[in-house]
Amino acid sequence: MGETTGMAPINGICKMEEVLIKCVVGEILVSGCKEGIHEIKLQNTAVLEPRAKEDSATFKVCEGPQEMIPSLKQCTSWLQAYFCEPWMIEKLPIPAFHHPLFDKDSFNKTVLLALMKDVKMGQTVTYKELAEAVGNVNAARAVGGAMRSNPVPLIIPCHRVICSDGNIGNYSGGKKNDVKRWLLAHEKHVKDM
């Protein structure tokens, strides 16, 4: 844990730092550099219980540098608010992203940024509706591909994208569908408060 080198920005190699968080959904690894967040990875998932409105979520930074770079600190604060005080996330700034996917214009970038901007806490959107929103009505499958390529889940809420028939669809390649169900229920509780 700590510093690693990795993603190549325009002028060289990023000096990467990582933070490991343990929270109600399990372990989350956040990596970034001084330019922004590279990835949020849901590592090991927990056994998830339905959340009652009055339950408070657990959130603990377990590993990482003593003094976090600003992007990691901002991302960690955002994630803590999402799990513990979700009504606060609208007031918090979104951390900068520094992943190659966001370096150039692409369909995936357009879809992910539209999702982040337009689909708020407690809302869902279908793959087809999201394709229509970005101007390509026949691209529902491509929207699914964009969700799979999302380097910063939770902040870009790919868990809010569902199938047209109301099925929740897959999350993180189908490996974490229980997490998707929990996140949607968590957001519904917040919206109902």
Side-chain angles (χ1 to χ4, degrees):
M1 218 41 62
E3 294 181 11
T4 61
T5 57
M7 314 250 171
I10 296 167
N11 297 331
I13 302 291
C14 289
K15 184 177 177 184
M16 298 285 283
E17 291 187 8
E18 296 178 333
V19 172
L20 182 67
I21 297 163
K22 287 190 181 178
C23 65
V24 66
V25 298
E27 294 179 350
I28 299 174
L29 182 66
V30 181
S31 61
C33 68
K34 66 179 182 169
E35 301 297 324
I37 299 303
H38 285 248
E39 292 183 309
I40 297 172
K41 291 183 181 177
L42 287 91
Q43 302 281 91
N44 303 316
T45 56
V47 176
L48 298 169
E49 300 292 329
R51 182 170 174 238
K53 285 185 185 183
E54 61 278 354
D55 286 351
S56 61
T58 59
F59 188 93
K60 180 180 178 189
V61 175
C62 298
E63 297 179 33
Q66 195 75 347
E67 284 294 316
M68 283 188 232
I69 55 177
S71 60
L72 281 182
K73 189 173 187 174
Q74 191 176 38
C75 186
T76 301
S77 295
W78 193 97
L79 290 169
Q80 183 171 18
Y82 177 83
F83 287 108
C84 302
E85 301 174 298
W87 54 89
M88 295 294 295
I89 64 165
E90 294 296 322
K91 298 175 184 167
L92 293 175
I94 300 292
F97 304 138
H98 195 240
H99 185 279
L101 185 140
F102 299 107
D103 286 346
K104 59 185 187 295
D105 288 333
S106 68
F107 178 78
N108 286 357
K109 176 183 175 181
T110 301
V111 169
L112 292 172
L113 294 179
L115 173 62
M116 182 176 71
K117 178 180 169 254
D118 298 334
V119 184
K120 302 300 181 199
M121 174 80 73
Q123 298 176 336
T124 57
V125 64
T126 67
Y127 294 94
K128 182 180 178 184
E129 290 168 338
L130 193 50
E132 290 170 356
V134 298
N136 194 339
V137 296
N138 297 318
R141 283 186 184 269
V143 166
M147 297 306 105
R148 284 188 297 282
S149 72
N150 181 5
V152 286
L154 301 172
I155 293 177
I156 295 182
C158 53
H159 60 276
R160 295 178 188 156
V161 184
I162 62 171
C163 300
S164 295
D165 65 4
N167 187 329
I168 68 161
N170 286 328
Y171 189 59
S172 206
K175 301 173 195 165
K176 297 180 174 38
N177 288 355
D178 289 345
V179 172
K180 185 171 184 173
R181 274 188 200 85
W182 189 93
L183 293 170
L184 292 171
H186 170 66
E187 293 188 5
K188 184 177 182 331
H189 283 304
V190 172
K191 187 179 172 192
D192 293 344
M193 292 178 104

